[in-house]
């Protein structure tokens, strides 16, 4: 069975630590929790759980439409963003496809299911894992890539393309582009989000979820934005009645309009991420790479590898993500996300102890 993030229940059992004392730096979920307005709305509408949801999800779609500045008719809903990614891949069924490397493993997994020939655009450490846009466009055209899929910002590297750069790909290649914006809310969306481009390019699909920024992985709500009529019809034809549950509908109608909450989360992550960089720069045997997500990729220059680090930190109730499961990364890399201040300080203290210079 596939799993993403740590199994805190298993860790608690093995390490003899209370679940509430575990700090999971591997899951990338906003530590401030969900919108209080959304939770209050859920509390006030618990009676709706005894009725069926609106079969057309009119209010939920309107809320997403206003939030993402898109036509309500161009929204598809799903059980998390991964379901929409999967279905879009199966609809287009590209003969040739391209992924970034390293990246989220589900892209390759789903492409292999349809026997797509997969090209990898390698993000090089010597370039701080940044994308060379001219090279990427050239490669797409030379290899006649039908389908490009990537996360913006990319996981685990944190690298990103501007909206204007994504538009260049759309203009200068024939490829269909799927942009996974799972972490886009942690950035300057005016600069980096591609959602507005879906109005002009029907070969673009933007997919988002509510697990990371909105801290509600349990409601399994994802949505996609596209003006591709064939894809929209495909999703419409495969819909099942009441696919989205009432909890997701109730929370979604509120949280996408909770601007104060969104500003608070964005500013919290930005300031803590900047502090992490500052503190990590003082650790001689570690190197952190610039990230536009709520996570940071770190290379171990000297000292115990990431597998040993993970095991060592588990005894302290701290969980980090070793990166050996990511292609083109090895046990010299690990990834952390931003948590609450006390947990961040505890992790930094431990990293300084473990990787202090000679």
């Amino acid at each position: 069975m596939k799993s993403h993030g740590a199994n805190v229940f298993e860790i608690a059992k093995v390490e003899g630590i209370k679940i509430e004392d575990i700090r999971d730096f591997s899951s990338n979920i906003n530590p401030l929790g969900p919108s209080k307005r959304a939770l209050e709305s859920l509390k006030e509408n618990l009676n709706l759980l005894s009725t069926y949801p609106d079969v057309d999800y009119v209010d939920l779609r309107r809320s997403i439409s206003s939030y993402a500045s898109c036509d309500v008719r161009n929204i598809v809903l799903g059980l998390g963003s991964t379901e929409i990614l999967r279905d879009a891949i199966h609809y287009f069924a590209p003969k040739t496809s391209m992924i970034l490397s390293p990246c989220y493993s589900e892209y390759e997994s789903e492409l292999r299911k349809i026997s797509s020939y997969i090209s990898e655009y390698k993000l090089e450490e010597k370039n701080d894992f940044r994308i060379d846009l001219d090279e990427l466009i050239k490669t797409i055209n030379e290899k006649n890539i039908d389908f490009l899929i990537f996360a913006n910002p990319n996981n685990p590297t944190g690298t990103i393309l501007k909206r204007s750069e994504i538009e260049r790909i759309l203009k200068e290649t024939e490829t269909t582009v799927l942009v996974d914006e799972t972490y886009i809310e942690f950035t300057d969306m005016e600069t980096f989000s591609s959602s507005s481009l879906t109005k002009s390019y029907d070969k673009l699909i933007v997919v988002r979820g509510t697990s990371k920024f909105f801290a509600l992985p349990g409601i399994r709500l994802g949505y996609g934005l596209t003006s591709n009529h064939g894809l929209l019809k495909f999703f419409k034809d495969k819909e099942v009645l009441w696919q989205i549950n009432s909890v997701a509908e109730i929370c979604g109608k509120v949280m996408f309009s909770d601007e104060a909450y969104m500003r608070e989360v964005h500013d919290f992550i930005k300031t803590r991420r900047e502090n992490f960089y500052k503190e990590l720069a003082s650790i001689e045997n570690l190197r952190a790479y610039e990230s536009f997500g709520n996570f940071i990729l770190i290379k171990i220059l000297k000292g115990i590898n990431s597998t040993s680090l993970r095991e060592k930190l588990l005894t302290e109730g701290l969980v980090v993500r070793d990166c050996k499961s990511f292609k083109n990364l090895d046990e010299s890399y690990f990834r952390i996300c931003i948590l609450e201040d006390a947990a961040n300080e505890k992790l930094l203290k431990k990293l300084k102890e473990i990787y202090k210079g000679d």
Side-chain angles (χ1 to χ4, degrees), residues 44-311:
E44 293 172 356
N45 289 281
L46 288 175
N47 61 300
L48 294 179
L49 299 185
S50 63
T51 64
Y52 286 106
D54 170 14
V55 70
D56 295 315
Y57 302 101
V58 173
D59 290 339
L60 176 59
R61 290 178 186 274
R62 283 176 180 164
S63 182
I64 294 172
S65 173
S66 177
Y67 172 63
S69 301
C70 68
D71 191 317
V72 70
R73 295 169 296 183
N74 292 345
I75 298 169
V76 295
L77 303 175
L79 297 173
S81 59
T82 301
E83 181 188 48
I84 299 172
L85 291 168
R86 180 200 66 196
D87 289 345
I89 287 170
H90 284 246
Y91 168 74
F92 287 108
K95 291 182 179 178
T96 60
S97 52
M98 177 173 283
I99 60 175
L100 305 183
S101 183
C103 71
Y104 181 47
S105 62
E106 292 298 322
Y107 308 150
E108 180 175 355
S109 176
E110 292 300 330
L111 288 166
R112 291 203 179 283
K113 289 177 184 177
I114 57 165
S115 301
S116 181
Y117 178 81
I118 303 170
S119 291
E120 293 183 10
Y121 177 87
K122 291 187 179 180
L123 301 175
E124 303 283 358
E125 181 195 351
K126 64 183 180 182
N127 297 326
D128 294 334
F129 298 103
R130 295 191 185 97
I131 297 169
D132 182 325
L133 187 62
D134 291 332
E135 181 186 48
L136 176 63
I137 290 172
K138 179 183 177 183
T139 305
I140 289 171
N141 288 327
E142 286 179 347
K143 294 190 174 184
N144 295 315
I145 299 298
D146 299 322
F147 189 82
L148 170 67
I149 179 171
F150 66 98
N152 206 44
N154 183 51
N155 173 29
T157 61
T159 44
I160 199 166
L161 288 177
K162 294 178 180 178
R163 177 194 293 121
S164 58
E165 293 174 317
I166 293 172
E167 187 166 22
R168 271 195 61 195
I169 298 173
L170 294 165
K171 284 181 175 179
E172 297 178 27
T173 76
E174 297 298 318
T175 192
T176 296
V177 180
L178 192 155
V179 183
D180 178 357
E181 292 194 343
T182 293
Y183 300 100
I184 198 68
E185 283 97 350
F186 295 109
T187 72
D188 173 9
M189 293 175 68
E190 289 296 318
T191 302
F192 298 109
S193 176
S194 324
S195 62
S196 63
L197 295 178
T198 59
K199 300 173 185 177
S200 306
Y201 299 91
D202 66 0
K203 60 178 182 175
L204 172 66
I205 310 98
V206 173
V207 177
R208 294 180 182 169
T210 55
S211 297
K212 306 303 185 182
F213 184 86
F214 290 100
L216 282 172
I219 68 173
R220 307 311 309 137
L221 174 62
Y223 62 97
L225 313 172
T226 185
S227 59
N228 186 296
H229 294 300
L231 182 61
L232 289 168
K233 184 178 184 302
F234 171 77
F235 274 100
K236 184 67 177 176
D237 290 345
K238 71 174 284 295
E239 277 183 0
V240 296
L241 288 176
W242 308 297
Q243 183 175 11
I244 307 302
N245 65 66
S246 295
V247 174
E249 181 189 27
I250 293 166
C251 290
K253 287 189 292 189
V254 175
M255 67 187 182
F256 291 120
S257 63
D258 193 345
E259 295 182 2
Y261 164 78
M262 289 185 276
R263 281 195 303 271
E264 179 187 12
V265 175
H266 179 275
D267 292 347
F268 179 91
I269 296 297
K270 184 175 184 291
T271 56
R272 273 62 179 185
R273 186 175 60 210
E274 289 172 352
N275 183 66
F276 251 118
Y277 283 130
K278 178 182 175 183
E279 294 296 329
L280 288 167
S282 70
I283 304 176
E284 183 179 340
N285 293 320
L286 296 179
R287 181 187 176 188
Y289 295 90
E290 182 181 23
S291 172
F292 288 83
N294 65 327
F295 52 86
I296 301 172
L297 179 66
I298 301 168
K299 183 175 184 179
I300 299 167
L301 303 177
K302 183 180 179 182
I304 61 173
N305 65 26
S306 60
T307 302
S308 298
L309 172 66
R310 187 178 187 277
E311 294 302 318

